[in-house]
Amino acid sequence: MLKPKEVCQKLGISYRTLQSYVKKGYIKPVILQSGKWRFREEDVEKLMGIVRKRKVILYARVSSQKNDLINQVKYLEENVKEYDQVITDIGSSLDMKRKGFIKLLRMILNNEVSKVVVAYPDILVRFGFEIIEEVCKAHNCKIMVLNKEDKTPEKELIEDLISILVSFSEKLQGMRKEKVKKCVEELKA
């Protein structure tokens, strides 16, 4: 995000001209809670005639099996001929701190992505897929799901409950490991 002074320097204009551009709708400021203006770099670049190529991203995620991840990436590559990057994760779809997912989300928020391709909707997130869709829409990015299964509400509910149980089991197991380590360290001391 650029300050008005930085925008004026990049464009070679005065502050009054920048205000005029905003008034005419040539560029839209992001208004902070303090009331100060900030501008997106891509908006300034558009005014300068610079257009960045946005990427098509293939996103694959599995819970644990690396072979399944390789197969999922192959499937995506076979079905999408033109893409720019593949981002992968190994982890639960309930874990929102996956490195690849965070990287993808940052790229979307920076308007670097035009399309995200996944094999199934729950590859991105188990819950809140609609929220991710809305974020993408706000940043002119589309999500393409290759396999949209029509599941009965009962089957979907059962799968969601199993996902929650597995996730909490993994967390509980992790907590147990930490407690065991702590006890061992206390015994050594």
Side-chain angles (χ1 to χ4, degrees), residues 126-143:
R126 185 70 190 180
F127 302 108
F129 183 77
E130 295 81 14
I131 295 170
I132 301 299
E133 275 184 315
E134 286 301 316
V135 168
C136 286
K137 275 186 203 172
H139 293 275
N140 296 323
C141 175
K142 294 179 183 173
I143 299 178

Side-chain angles (χ1 to χ4, degrees), residues 104-115:
L104 175 64
L105 198 53
R106 283 196 177 122
M107 290 173 73
I108 292 167
L109 294 173
N110 288 329
N111 294 318
E112 297 173 23
V113 181
S114 63
K115 187 189 298 183

Side-chain angles (χ1 to χ4, degrees), residues 41-42 44-54:
E41 282 190 58
E42 60 270 10
V44 175
E45 289 174 352
K46 270 186 200 172
L47 274 176
M48 296 169 67
I50 300 170
V51 180
R52 279 194 251 163
K53 183 184 180 295
R54 296 171 53 151

Side-chain angles (χ1 to χ4, degrees), residues 58-66 68-70 72-73 86-93 95-105 123-125:
L58 304 182
Y59 180 78
R61 180 203 56 79
V62 293
S63 296
S64 59
Q65 297 295 323
K66 199 159 191 154
D68 291 342
L69 184 63
I70 293 166
Q72 193 178 132
V73 170
V86 177
I87 296 177
T88 61
D89 269 326
I90 296 178
S92 168
S93 58
D95 180 9
M96 301 301 268
K97 295 179 182 177
R98 298 183 312 262
K99 287 181 182 179
F101 179 72
I102 290 173
K103 178 181 178 180
L104 175 64
L105 198 53
I123 295 295
L124 279 171
V125 289

Side-chain angles (χ1 to χ4, degrees), residues 164-182:
I164 291 168
L165 287 172
V166 168
S167 176
F168 284 126
S169 301
E170 290 170 350
K171 284 184 181 180
L172 186 60
Q173 190 65 29
M175 288 169 46
R176 286 185 187 143
K177 285 180 186 176
E178 290 302 315
K179 285 183 180 178
V180 170
K181 281 182 187 178
K182 189 175 179 180

